[in-house]
Amino acid sequence: MTVVKLMLTLGIYSSALVGFFTLLPLMQNVTFTEYSVTPQRPFTGPLALNEKLSGISKLFEDQIVGPEGLLYHNNTLYTTLHYGHVVKIVNNEIVPVVKFGKVCDGLYEEHVCGRPLGLTMDKSGFLYVADAYYGIFKVNLNSKFYGAKEQLVSMDEVIDGARPKLPNSVVVTSDGNVYWTDSDTNYKLHDGVYTLFVDGTGRLLKYDPKTKKNTVLMKNLHFANGVELSNDESFILVAETAKYRVHKYYLKGPKAGKSEIFIDGLPGMPDNIKRNSKGSFYIPLVSARIPIFENIGEYPTIRMMITKFLGIIDFTLLKINSLYPNLYCKKAMRWVGHFESMSIIKSLSKQRISILKVNEKGQLLSSYYSLDGKVSGICDVEVVGDKLYLGSPFNNFLGIVKLPQGF
């Protein structure tokens, strides 16, 4: 029996070594070039630390997982959840709206469950949802076909030489054009950690409902994330999470079709972007800057080694699971590549809630924080009356706090 076990063990490790070399052709579209990020702005002036978000309450604790995107429309709050659900809050109860993906056994099968991230509403009351594994959808909320969904963008569609891998955020203009982000063209959400080490391939795209065609507007973004339109729809903002900055892409006027940096040197990773009624923008930072990543862009060889090392671990777990299917390997594979595994590294830096308020010119107006560390990972905000709701891809509750003065 010992000899058999030894042979199996050697076989597994041999397979892992083979996997190492097998990974090389699979990484032919992945590059590692030197880049740098803008140093962090100091916590002074409008960016000064404070406790304006203190006293956060946890709604629906342990009843939901990962309320990533928030949308308040017609006196109703909507949110996206793990397991492929979009729900609404009615009379303090969770009411299902639409389900993406299939029934799965657990979050380790996220690619089966579906994972809706961003959502928005058009002027006719149709809901648009970006699902990380299934594409961009338009959902009917207006008739007896309530909850019926139409797929606008498929994961099999080749757009400018690449298929979508991680649809993330979506907005719709008054004339029906859909703008959305594909965070990376090489890795899916459950392998999101890899995107922190490879060169960015994220994109901003436009879907034309008349031609049913997609056009790439921006590319090579290092994890393209949240998008938001200006009040007059003359430009759109897109967050570049891994480089701590936000871009501005002009849709109208003399600069139409061009882009520029909107705001840079942020003290954390921008996620979703939300416009208020006065035309300013809220930019939540889902994570503070992590020291180990501050200068890693300047060392492409180290980034390549880390990527290959993670790949070997993934391949080994995959091989073991193919020989001896088990729940532990499935969970481990998700943990290795998923952003949730970053919790260990995040512990190296002080975590806080950070929400920045910026005007249309990219000037920082004010900032809002909670520094006690009891709640973190906030990626989206929504104002409802005198309350501020706080969304997160990681938390098992929906955060709520009294609306800060001047918010």
Side-chain angles (χ1 to χ4, degrees), residues 289-327:
R289 290 204 185 197
I290 302 172
I292 193 173
F293 291 117
E294 281 294 278
N295 302 309
I296 199 169
E298 300 174 13
Y299 304 97
T301 301
I302 293 177
R303 287 159 45 213
M304 179 177 63
M305 292 173 63
I306 294 173
T307 302
K308 290 183 177 179
F309 177 71
L310 291 174
I312 291 172
I313 296 175
D314 259 340
F315 184 89
T316 302
L317 290 168
L318 179 65
K319 193 64 178 179
I320 293 173
N321 190 67
S322 68
L323 295 172
Y324 306 101
N326 66 92
L327 184 60

Side-chain angles (χ1 to χ4, degrees), residues 129-303:
V129 183
D131 187 281
Y133 296 99
Y134 288 94
I136 307 295
F137 292 84
K138 180 180 179 180
V139 183
N140 193 331
L141 300 182
N142 301 304
S143 70
K144 63 181 180 179
F145 300 107
Y146 186 92
K149 51 185 182 288
E150 173 191 356
Q151 188 173 38
L152 304 181
V153 181
S154 166
M155 302 297 281
D156 295 324
E157 181 179 351
V158 178
I159 307 171
D160 195 19
R163 291 183 174 86
K165 281 293 179 69
L166 211 170
N168 195 316
S169 190
V170 59
V171 290
V172 183
T173 58
S174 56
D175 59 2
N177 287 313
V178 181
Y179 294 87
W180 59 284
T181 49
D182 185 21
S183 294
D184 194 87
T185 61
N186 291 308
Y187 296 102
K188 294 183 179 294
L189 181 59
H190 56 245
D191 288 325
V193 168
Y194 289 85
T195 67
L196 300 178
F197 301 105
V198 303
D199 291 346
T201 59
R203 305 183 290 181
L204 171 67
L205 305 98
K206 171 188 174 182
Y207 172 81
D208 187 332
K210 296 177 181 177
T211 63
K212 301 187 184 301
K213 299 293 184 181
N214 285 281
T215 304
V216 177
L217 305 180
M218 297 180 67
K219 59 184 179 180
N220 299 326
L221 299 176
H222 208 148
F223 206 87
N225 207 327
V227 289
E228 182 61 290
L229 291 161
S230 62
N231 260 352
D232 61 2
E233 299 186 355
S234 64
F235 66 85
I236 187 171
L237 299 183
V238 54
E240 188 176 18
T241 299
K243 286 191 175 178
Y244 316 109
R245 63 188 183 183
V246 176
H247 296 265
K248 182 181 192 177
Y249 183 90
Y250 290 91
L251 301 175
K252 301 176 183 178
K255 292 185 178 181
K258 297 181 180 180
S259 66
E260 61 188 40
I261 301 298
F262 179 69
I263 188 169
D264 203 352
L266 301 179
M269 294 180 166
D271 201 308
N272 293 303
I273 304 172
K274 192 65 60 71
R275 186 183 74 243
N276 67 14
S277 59
K278 298 180 180 179
S280 298
F281 300 93
Y282 299 117
I283 306 175
L285 307 181
V286 68
S287 170
R289 290 204 185 197
I290 302 172
I292 193 173
F293 291 117
E294 281 294 278
N295 302 309
I296 199 169
E298 300 174 13
Y299 304 97
T301 301
I302 293 177
R303 287 159 45 213

Side-chain angles (χ1 to χ4, degrees), residues 48-60:
L49 297 173
N50 55 65
E51 284 286 1
K52 294 179 180 179
L53 296 177
S54 61
I56 294 172
S57 300
K58 300 178 180 180
L59 298 183
F60 309 114

